[in-house]
Amino acid sequence: MEFKHQATVTLAEVAEAAGVGESTVSRVLRNHGSFSGRTRERVMAAVERLGYVPNRIAGTLASTGSRLVAFVIPSLSNIVFPDVLRGASAVLEENRYQAVFSVTDYDPGKEEALAAAMLAWRPAAVMLAGCEHTEGTVKMLRASGCRVVELLDLDGDALDIAVGFSNRAAGRESAAFLLKRGYRRIGYVGHDLNRDTRAGKRFSSFCETLGAHDAPLVAREILPGASSVENGRLGLERLLARTTDLDAVYFSNDDMALGGYFHCLAQGIAIPSKLAIFGYNGLDIGRATPQPLSTIRTPRVATGEIAAQLVVANAPPQAVDLGFELIEGATA
Amino acid sequence: MEFKHQATVTLAEVAEAAGVGESTVSRVLRNHGSFSGRTRERVMAAVERLGYVPNRIAGTLASTGSRLVAFVIPSLSNIVFPDVLRGASAVLEENRYQAVFSVTDYDPGKEEALAAAMLAWRPAAVMLAGCEHTEGTVKMLRASGCRVVELLDLDGDALDIAVGFSNRAAGRESAAFLLKRGYRRIGYVGHDLNRDTRAGKRFSSFCETLGAHDAPLVAREILPGASSVENGRLGLERLLARTTDLDAVYFSNDDMALGGYFHCLAQGIAIPSKLAIFGYNGLDIGRATPQPLSTIRTPRVATGEIAAQLVVANAPPQAVDLGFELIEGATA
DNA sequence: TTTGCTGTTGGCAGCGCTGCCAAAATGAAT
DNA sequence: ATTCATTTTGGCAGCGCTGCCAACAGCAAA
């Protein structure tokens, strides 16, 4: 059963109460067009008195173009996406845009269905994670004519606007750093890469770089499901049970890396002398651990901010590379 | 500059292409009312051919009651709120509702402004954190006639629906647990309590309980700003610098507690024999640390789920107590 | 007084859909 | 063939607002 709104005061009622025309009320409330000070006062008084709340559904329908921005994100468990939303929502709120979201659970099919549902709201823009989408999604977004922003991955062709950085470069630099530090027997602990294609890109570039320096990946442990601290801990435990002579482990992200770090603490494995640990994301928590985590800090909040700014400004199609920062830390 | 949608296919065009009336198309698409199988096929074929995407703005305006649910949350940095959103959005998506959100930054004035902006979208429900709101917010929500759900705090009068648990009880039980374990010289490290009133409630009940057992709080360290691991670490460091004989410290939440835990690890302070640590929230990470964190696990995802279910079912006003679980852990 | 501005204002036709109602088609029963 | 009940269908008036246009007022210049 749908909820029915009660006592809905309309523009027309305000107009009548203020003794002016509807369009005058509309102009005053949107502060658009011209009207006298006296009219303004009368309208505002009526608005106040009646407790009028404009109906943006009607307003959006009547005008062309909405102020809704739709986010179709893979997850809310992975702090990455709340961070992006945080950056974006601050900018959007300032500009009187409204954020709408739904969660795909890293499922491309669901992404397509949710994107379609989003388009039904005729948003000003749709923001998606990454640049890998189903054919149907791409076709639909193209046809919609609404702005499309692809976030956090620049390794691919952008549909319209893309904001983020190269995950391949991140994987490459991570490998280069470990090699530079002298690690040669390197392992990997990751989560389900089929779902998180960005983590997959980092991993493959990481491996390529190792291979190019005659230090190919020694072992890997991939855990099903999402990344988590517990999976990181479990993954490292399993990896070390199989492979005893590793000198460094690359993790699919900081959550996983922290799990590995905790495993070492619990087992008395000296870090980084006995085993080095390297993560990805640059979470704040990694700076507060007894040894700061070696990782790559990604511009998550900034990605959201810039994306929102470009949408608000109706900027031309473009790819914005925000880069990332390698944090040397103390675990590698 | 607002974005203008292009090439918008309308219901009327689909109707014409399918050789049926508008209302027939509407019925078929909503699978509501009756129509023949042949009609259905013709309509769906036309929809497919034209790439029609229904306009929910128009649909919502025409019908009474929307399928938007508005979230007005304090923060996206604190994992609590993404967790609530996660639980809620899963249920909402299943029921073809759409989640909309904005972030107040723990500012009651901003909450009022954002709630007003939300009401302009005529949502089916507004979900807010806690039960402390400005007079203006309360008045506006009451007048809106839309469903109001207050989340994560049952210590107060609910406007309509409330889902969560008692923060006071959480504070009380935390204190009781520490006392039962024999700790008597207890300190507190917290973040800005004026903003996070729920943390404030926990703290005051915690103190009352200690006082009632002749073991009043020995010292406290309150850090300005939001909770974070780094602030927790810093807070404990400061507290211990001033007060040397504490045997346990209660933290405003797990983020802060983890910071304290890391400080102890870094300083070689034995846990819990030299100093016990107790948190709040029951984050997953607390189970993966070398010693599992002693804390209270809160039903964050479930809070979102239940809240969404009640809204979808248009349930009568009620307060749902989901309780919480005390995790004994190994740090206290 | 008339003219020509600029600044204000109201009327009203949509925006794209849904809900209501009456009309038409169908089918079963006589 | 006729009747009645049922299913299927189309027409059309809004939902509450915005955007356009015409109308009007006030005022300075002629």
Side-chain angles (χ1 to χ4, degrees):
Chain A
M1 187 189 347
E2 302 276 88
F3 174 77
K4 177 149 188 165
H5 278 272
Q6 61 173 181
T8 325
V9 181
T10 66
L11 226 204
E13 298 177 72
V14 173
E16 171 148 30
V20 300
E22 294 182 37
S23 20
T24 301
V25 176
S26 178
R27 275 185 297 255
V28 170
L29 289 175
R30 285 178 300 151
N31 196 30
H32 175 273
S34 62
F35 44 83
S36 68
R38 198 165 60 52
T39 303
R40 207 194 92 90
E41 279 170 30
R42 281 168 51 185
V43 169
M44 294 315 270
V47 164
E48 195 69 28
R49 184 148 36 88
L50 301 180
Y52 172 67
V53 177
N55 184 332
R56 287 189 76 163
I57 297 278
T60 302
L61 180 62
S63 58
T64 46
S66 81
R67 279 177 176 265
L68 286 172
V69 172
F71 292 83
V72 181
I73 57 174
S75 158
L76 278 167
S77 317
N78 190 335
I79 190 66
V80 167
F81 301 104
D83 276 348
V84 172
L85 290 182
R86 178 153 59 98
S89 83
V91 173
L92 294 178
E93 275 160 24
E94 271 171 22
N95 291 278
R96 311 194 324 116
Y97 277 70
Q98 184 59 65
V100 173
F101 75 95
S102 43
V103 179
T104 69
D105 218 6
Y106 289 101
D107 175 345
K110 214 166 162 189
E111 179 180 77
E112 181 167 341
L114 291 172
M118 286 298 197
L119 288 177
W121 290 101
R122 297 297 188 270
V126 178
M127 306 233 191
L128 306 152
C131 48
E132 252 82 38
H133 313 289
T134 67
E135 210 178 302
T137 305
V138 170
K139 198 176 144 195
M140 185 171 47
L141 291 172
R142 281 243 167 74
S144 78
C146 95
R147 300 308 301 267
V148 177
V149 186
E150 291 167 287
L151 304 167
L152 299 169
D153 188 5
L154 258 31
D155 302 312
D157 294 322
L159 250 37
D160 179 5
I161 293 175
V163 182
F165 47 86
S166 166
N167 280 274
R168 295 203 180 284
R172 217 155 41 224
E173 289 200 20
S174 302
F177 175 77
L178 291 177
L179 291 169
K180 195 187 75 189
R181 290 278 188 172
Y183 303 109
R184 304 291 293 178
R185 299 199 48 85
I186 301 175
Y188 176 78
V189 173
H191 60 283
D192 187 348
L193 300 176
N194 292 117
R195 306 196 329 153
D196 187 343
T197 59
R198 289 168 292 288
K201 288 177 179 178
R202 293 194 295 274
F203 180 51
S204 70
S205 291
F206 183 86
C207 291
E208 282 166 21
T209 307
L210 291 190
H213 289 79
D214 288 325
L217 194 78
V218 174
R220 75 174 77 171
E221 180 70 34
I222 310 276
L223 288 96
S227 70
S228 70
V229 181
E230 286 174 281
N231 273 345
R233 184 168 177 170
L234 183 62
L236 183 58
E237 186 179 358
R238 289 189 188 158
L239 190 70
L240 295 182
R242 292 196 337 248
T243 323
T244 50
D245 56 349
L246 294 176
D247 55 18
V249 175
Y250 178 50
F251 289 81
S252 52
N253 66 26
D254 279 2
D255 292 300
M256 301 290 283
L258 282 170
Y261 178 68
F262 292 153
H263 177 72
C264 293
L265 286 187
Q267 300 298 312
I269 301 169
I271 298 172
S273 57
K274 180 71 183 165
L275 186 74
I277 283 176
F278 198 90
Y280 167 83
N281 254 343
L283 301 188
D284 286 343
I285 189 175
R287 293 195 295 202
T289 40
Q291 294 163 281
L293 185 64
S294 300
T295 186
I296 277 186
R297 175 138 63 231
T298 55
R300 302 180 297 278
V301 177
T303 295
E305 286 170 351
I306 303 287
Q309 281 161 6
L310 293 175
V311 166
V312 167
N314 200 21
Q318 61 193 287
V320 181
D321 190 345
L322 262 26
F324 49 76
E325 184 192 359
L326 194 146
I327 309 289
E328 300 211 348
T331 63
Chain B
M1 186 189 353
E2 303 277 88
F3 174 77
K4 178 152 185 161
H5 279 270
Q6 60 175 182
T8 326
V9 182
T10 67
L11 226 206
E13 297 177 75
V14 174
E16 171 147 30
V20 300
E22 293 182 37
S23 22
T24 301
V25 177
S26 178
R27 275 186 297 255
V28 170
L29 289 175
R30 285 179 298 151
N31 195 30
H32 174 274
S34 62
F35 45 83
S36 69
R38 199 167 58 52
T39 303
R40 206 194 92 89
E41 278 171 31
R42 280 166 53 185
V43 169
M44 295 314 272
V47 164
E48 194 69 27
R49 184 150 35 88
L50 301 179
Y52 172 66
V53 177
N55 184 332
R56 289 190 76 167
I57 298 279
T60 302
L61 179 61
S63 58
T64 47
S66 82
R67 279 178 176 265
L68 286 173
V69 171
F71 292 83
V72 181
I73 56 175
S75 158
L76 278 167
S77 317
N78 189 336
I79 190 67
V80 168
F81 301 105
D83 275 348
V84 172
L85 290 181
R86 177 153 62 97
S89 84
V91 173
L92 294 178
E93 275 160 23
E94 272 171 22
N95 291 278
R96 310 193 326 116
Y97 277 69
Q98 183 60 62
V100 174
F101 75 95
S102 43
V103 179
T104 68
D105 219 6
Y106 290 100
D107 176 344
K110 215 167 163 189
E111 179 181 77
E112 181 168 341
L114 291 172
M118 285 298 195
L119 287 177
W121 290 100
R122 298 295 186 270
V126 178
M127 306 233 191
L128 307 153
C131 48
E132 252 81 40
H133 313 290
T134 67
E135 209 178 304
T137 306
V138 170
K139 199 177 142 196
M140 184 170 51
L141 290 173
R142 281 243 166 73
S144 77
C146 97
R147 300 308 300 267
V148 178
V149 186
E150 292 168 286
L151 305 166
L152 299 171
D153 189 4
L154 259 31
D155 302 311
D157 295 321
L159 251 40
D160 180 4
I161 292 175
V163 182
F165 47 86
S166 165
N167 280 274
R168 295 204 181 283
R172 215 152 44 223
E173 289 199 22
S174 302
F177 175 78
L178 291 178
L179 291 169
K180 195 185 74 186
R181 290 275 189 175
Y183 302 108
R184 305 291 295 178
R185 298 202 46 86
I186 301 174
Y188 175 79
V189 173
H191 60 284
D192 188 347
L193 301 177
N194 292 117
R195 307 195 332 151
D196 186 343
T197 58
R198 287 168 293 290
K201 288 178 180 179
R202 293 194 295 275
F203 179 50
S204 70
S205 291
F206 182 85
C207 291
E208 281 165 22
T209 306
L210 291 190
H213 289 79
D214 288 325
L217 195 79
V218 174
R220 75 173 78 171
E221 181 71 33
I222 310 277
L223 288 96
S227 70
S228 71
V229 181
E230 286 175 282
N231 274 344
R233 185 170 176 166
L234 183 61
L236 182 59
E237 185 179 359
R238 288 191 188 156
L239 189 71
L240 295 182
R242 293 199 333 249
T243 322
T244 50
D245 56 350
L246 293 176
D247 55 17
V249 175
Y250 179 51
F251 288 81
S252 52
N253 66 26
D254 280 1
D255 292 302
M256 300 290 282
L258 282 170
Y261 178 68
F262 293 154
H263 176 73
C264 292
L265 287 186
Q267 299 299 312
I269 300 171
I271 296 173
S273 56
K274 180 72 183 164
L275 187 73
I277 284 177
F278 198 89
Y280 168 83
N281 254 342
L283 301 187
D284 286 343
I285 190 175
R287 294 195 295 202
T289 41
Q291 294 162 282
L293 185 63
S294 301
T295 186
I296 276 186
R297 175 138 62 231
T298 55
R300 303 180 295 279
V301 176
T303 295
E305 286 169 351
I306 304 287
Q309 280 162 6
L310 293 175
V311 166
V312 166
N314 199 21
Q318 61 193 286
V320 180
D321 190 346
L322 262 26
F324 50 77
E325 184 191 359
L326 195 145
I327 309 288
E328 299 210 348
T331 63

